[in-house]
Amino acid sequence: MIKNKLTLKMRLIIMFLVTALPLTSIVLSILGMINNYSDSYNKIMANLKVANDYNTIFKEQMEYSMYRVMIGLIDADKFQSGDIKEGQTEYATVLKNPLDLIEKAKMDFRYVIKREPDSYSDIKINGILSCLDSLETAVNKMIENSKQPGKYDENNAIWENDIQGLCSMIQDYINQYIHYEILNMEELQNELEIYMKRIVKIFMTLLSGIVIAGIGISIMITKSVTKPIDDIKKTAERLGRGELEARATLGNLEEINILSRTFNKMSDEISALMEKTKQEQKNLRIAELKLHQEQINPHFLYNTLDSIVWMAEGGKNKQVVEMTTDLSDFFRTILSNGNDFITIEEEESHIRSYLKIQKIRYEDVLDYEILISPEIKEKIVLKMILQPVVENALYHGIKNKRGGGTIIVKGYMEKSNIVFEVKDDGIGMDEQTLEKLHKKLKGESIMEIKQKGGFGMNNVAKRIYMYYGAESDISVISEKNKGTCIKIILGDRK
């Protein structure tokens, strides 16, 4: 017995894991790489956007606002309220609050821009922040001087040396920062390209391995299904050819093993049924042989021959010829060229021969009447169904009755069934005897074949059930001192 059998479902799951997990890992790796690249790219682009905004407008706005302060055209105290608008139209010039510009620049370069510590970009941002601190000091000094008279020359020096110089330095730092960020982006693109090439190589190698493994597992699963099924098919063909010992072998696929075990169980049952059928056929042949032997009863033959001799000595030549002819017809029907089935007309002739012989022997005891419907005489039935029943009626019914009696044999169609009735007005049976006979005809004892005796009614019942199946029936109606009626119903032959 093969242990650790895997079901088809488990094998399919294994195949799925072998193929899907590596592919999923590769896809997740690629997605993770793309996500990391996207984050880095977005961070650089966001930093460049912030830096580029200051690169284009910060120097211009700062220098313009402080120049107006230097030449005294703007009251610096007004910056405390925010930006200053020169004029009332929509095209009026707006002077940006220099301190607000510096504060916002500090916030953006210190917190908004994502920085890598100790990188070239980080060094440039630190330079920008340092310049902004110096610029803030210079702006505050110029605003303070603008409130006092006679400070123009000092403010002019601050403007030329500090404000313009620091703004230029800030712009240079911003340009250098942008340059390094662009270099970082180019490096990121190069790394992505190299990584993608490496991933593609790994992916193609792994994909090839997965395809090979998938094909191998698919072939294995296919063989594990088709081979056992083919084995069951061949076993079924062997069984069909009569090799009843053929059995399907068990494999390592549980679903197919269930099918194989069921098939083998069915094969065992078929073998048992075949053996049972053979035994039943054997028993039937034994029963028929014993029936033949019972019919060729030496006592019946001796008594009949004695009657012929007695009638010949008495000069009753006509009766001798008649009895001899009937005896010949009787044995001709018994033999019937080895056939198991004869026409109802031949069965009627057989019964008539038997009753004529017995009528000669028991002239004062027996009367009989045979009423067979003409429409059924050509139908084929199992031979010697009626003779044992008639004999039973004679020896157990009429012969034991004082004054003799009559036997009536009827045959007719009832629906689609052939029906025979054998009636006698003999001594009948009491209820206890009738019940025993019913059990014998209906019970398990019907299927038993005894080696000695026990034939007659039991033999007829057994042969009827074996040849005609469950739709056939044999029933007995009897009353003490009034007579017995035995009814035989023949269904469709099996």
Side-chain angles (χ1 to χ4, degrees):
M1 183 66 68
I2 298 176
K3 298 182 179 179
N4 300 324
K5 299 182 182 67
L6 296 177
T7 64
L8 180 59
K9 181 179 180 181
M10 293 174 64
R11 293 176 182 228
L12 292 175
I13 290 174
I14 291 174
M15 184 178 73
F16 172 77
L17 294 177
V18 169
T19 55
L21 286 182
L23 289 175
T24 303
S25 300
I26 293 174
V27 171
L28 291 177
S29 299
I30 294 174
L31 290 177
M33 178 199 67
I34 293 175
N35 185 64
N36 291 335
Y37 172 79
S38 178
D39 289 343
S40 299
Y41 177 82
N42 290 335
K43 182 180 72 172
I44 293 174
M45 290 302 295
N47 291 345
L48 287 174
K49 183 178 183 301
V50 173
N52 192 57
D53 287 343
Y54 284 96
N55 187 41
T56 57
I57 62 175
F58 179 80
K59 182 176 184 298
E60 179 183 340
Q61 290 177 342
M62 179 61 69
E63 289 180 350
Y64 183 70
S65 295
M66 295 313 296
Y67 176 76
R68 302 287 282 180
V69 171
M70 180 193 70
I71 62 177
L73 294 178
I74 294 297
D75 183 0
D77 290 336
K78 292 183 179 180
F79 283 125
Q80 294 179 0
S81 300
D83 297 337
I84 300 172
K85 186 176 182 182
E86 293 180 318
Q88 301 300 322
T89 66
E90 59 180 327
Y91 302 106
T93 302
V94 177
L95 298 178
K96 293 291 185 179
N97 187 329
L99 295 176
D100 288 345
L101 285 174
I102 294 172
E103 186 63 26
K104 186 175 184 305
K106 285 183 178 181
M107 293 296 296
D108 286 343
F109 283 101
R110 183 174 283 121
Y111 301 111
V112 176
I113 288 180
K114 306 299 181 183
R115 302 164 60 181
E116 294 291 335
D118 300 326
S119 64
Y120 287 112
S121 298
D122 187 54
I123 293 173
K124 300 307 173 185
I125 290 175
N126 288 332
I128 294 171
L129 292 174
S130 178
C131 290
L132 287 173
D133 289 337
S134 299
L135 182 62
E136 183 178 16
T137 302
V139 168
N140 285 327
K141 181 64 175 175
M142 182 180 285
I143 291 175
E144 185 65 28
N145 288 341
S146 67
K147 298 177 183 179
Q148 302 174 15
K151 296 289 184 178
Y152 176 80
D153 291 337
E154 185 179 352
N155 281 346
N156 185 52
I158 294 172
W159 157 254
E160 291 179 354
N161 298 326
D162 295 330
I163 301 297
Q164 286 185 314
L166 289 171
C167 285
S168 296
M169 289 180 64
I170 290 173
Q171 189 172 34
D172 288 341
Y173 277 127
I174 290 175
N175 287 331
Q176 292 175 28
Y177 171 79
I178 291 173
H179 172 72
Y180 285 123
E181 285 295 278
I182 291 174
L183 290 178
N184 288 336
M185 183 175 290
E186 290 178 353
E187 183 180 356
L188 183 65
Q189 284 182 310
N190 292 333
E191 289 179 358
L192 178 64
E193 185 177 351
I194 293 171
Y195 189 73
M196 282 300 296
K197 288 180 179 179
R198 186 183 306 159
I199 285 292
V200 169
K201 289 180 180 179
I202 296 174
F203 177 78
M204 294 305 296
T205 302
L206 190 58
L207 182 62
S208 299
I210 292 172
V211 171
I212 294 173
I215 292 174
I217 295 175
S218 299
I219 292 173
M220 181 188 69
I221 293 177
T222 302
K223 285 185 176 180
S224 68
V225 175
T226 57
K227 189 177 182 299
I229 291 177
D230 186 62
D231 179 66
I232 293 175
K233 171 180 170 291
K234 291 178 179 178
T235 305
E237 291 174 349
R238 290 175 58 200
L239 193 66
R241 291 194 297 267
E243 299 179 30
L244 299 181
E245 73 284 356
R247 295 294 182 271
T249 57
L250 298 181
N252 55 3
L253 190 60
E254 189 59 25
E255 290 87 347
I256 302 299
N257 285 343
I258 293 173
L259 182 61
S260 297
R261 284 192 288 267
T262 304
F263 179 84
N264 290 340
K265 182 180 178 182
M266 180 190 70
S267 300
D268 292 339
E269 292 175 353
I270 290 175
S271 298
L273 288 173
M274 291 292 290
E275 188 62 31
K276 182 179 178 182
T277 301
K278 288 180 181 179
Q279 188 61 40
E280 287 180 349
Q281 291 294 329
K282 180 179 178 181
N283 290 342
L284 181 61
R285 294 300 177 186
I286 294 173
E288 290 177 339
L289 177 60
K290 287 184 175 293
L291 178 63
H292 294 165
Q293 294 172 349
E294 183 74 12
Q295 300 307 322
I296 311 176
N297 192 309
H299 294 290
F300 171 71
L301 181 59
Y302 295 156
N303 291 334
T304 302
L305 292 176
D306 285 343
S307 297
I308 292 173
V309 171
W310 174 76
M311 287 185 291
E313 290 177 350
K316 299 179 180 180
N317 295 332
K318 182 178 180 182
Q319 290 178 325
V320 169
V321 172
E322 185 177 352
M323 181 174 280
T324 303
T325 302
D326 291 334
L327 185 61
S328 174
D329 292 340
F330 177 80
F331 284 110
R332 183 180 296 111
T333 304
I334 290 177
L335 299 176
S336 62
N337 296 322
N339 295 325
D340 292 328
F341 293 87
I342 59 175
T343 64
I344 293 179
E345 187 174 12
E346 292 174 313
E347 183 75 4
E348 178 188 4
S349 175
H350 178 64
I351 295 304
R352 194 178 298 278
S353 298
Y354 175 78
L355 286 173
K356 284 174 69 177
I357 292 172
Q358 298 291 28
K359 173 65 176 174
I360 294 173
R361 293 183 59 204
Y362 303 104
E363 183 175 1
D364 297 331
V365 175
L366 175 64
D367 284 321
Y368 68 88
E369 185 176 5
I370 300 176
L371 305 172
I372 304 295
S373 175
E375 65 175 339
I376 68 170
K377 287 191 175 185
E378 297 302 320
K379 293 185 178 296
I380 303 298
V381 294
L382 186 64
K383 70 180 180 182
M384 286 185 289
I385 292 177
L386 295 177
Q387 190 274 333
V389 181
V390 171
E391 182 178 348
N392 190 75
L394 173 62
Y395 283 100
H396 298 286
I398 303 299
K399 194 176 178 183
N400 294 328
K401 179 184 177 183
R402 184 174 298 178
T406 304
I407 295 175
I408 301 175
V409 180
K410 293 183 178 181
Y412 57 90
M413 291 293 296
E414 186 177 83
K415 296 182 180 179
S416 60
N417 298 323
I418 297 173
V419 179
F420 293 111
E421 290 183 7
V422 178
K423 296 182 180 180
D424 69 74
D425 55 0
I427 62 172
M429 290 176 277
D430 56 30
E431 292 184 1
Q432 185 177 3
T433 303
L434 182 61
E435 181 65 23
K436 289 182 179 179
L437 181 58
H438 278 150
K439 290 181 179 180
K440 188 175 182 181
L441 296 178
K442 300 290 186 181
E444 295 180 357
S445 60
I446 292 177
M447 304 306 296
E448 297 175 358
I449 303 298
K450 298 179 180 179
Q451 295 300 318
K452 296 182 179 180
F455 288 87
M457 290 288 291
N458 188 38
N459 183 277
V460 171
K462 173 177 170 44
R463 295 170 73 237
I464 286 175
Y465 289 132
M466 289 186 68
Y467 274 107
Y468 291 94
E471 294 183 0
S472 62
D473 189 29
I474 179 168
S475 60
V476 181
I477 300 174
S478 183
E479 188 174 350
K480 188 67 174 177
N481 298 320
K482 287 190 177 182
T484 301
C485 176
I486 297 176
K487 186 175 182 179
I488 298 172
I489 300 175
L490 303 180
D492 294 331
R493 191 172 67 188
K494 292 195 294 184

